[in-house]
Amino acid sequence: MPCKSDKLLLLDLDETLIHAVTTPLGVAVDFQFDLFHIYKRPGLDQFLINISQHFTLGVWS
């Protein structure tokens, strides 16, 4: 495995990593927070696993 970079990669949370709505979309909700139904973007888990091997991650909202 290549060495992990000392660079920080900032990722935008809302509408990039997740989609949050107050009315359910009719598909399984990944989780709910307060009044919001939260849907993870397709492939998000694997993307975060893969990219975290190369960069320090930060999430911005």
Side-chain angles (χ1 to χ4, degrees), residues 8-27:
L8 172 65
L9 178 64
L10 289 175
L11 301 169
D12 179 48
L13 180 65
D14 193 33
E15 299 306 326
T16 301
L17 300 178
I18 64 164
H19 179 64
V21 291
T22 55
T23 305
L25 298 178
V27 296

Side-chain angles (χ1 to χ4, degrees), residues 3 10-11 13-15 18 21 23-28 30-35 37-39 42 49 53 56-57 61:
C3 293
L10 289 175
L11 301 169
L13 180 65
D14 193 33
E15 299 306 326
I18 64 164
V21 291
T23 305
L25 298 178
V27 296
D30 291 309
F31 60 95
Q32 191 166 349
F33 177 76
D34 199 23
L35 301 176
H37 304 272
I38 312 296
Y39 301 90
I49 289 168
Q53 295 175 21
T56 299
L57 299 180
S61 182

Side-chain angles (χ1 to χ4, degrees), residues 4 7-11 47-48 51-52 55-59:
K4 190 170 183 174
K7 302 227 184 300
L8 172 65
L9 178 64
L10 289 175
L11 301 169
F47 170 74
L48 292 175
I51 202 72
S52 68
F55 297 97
T56 299
L57 299 180
V59 178

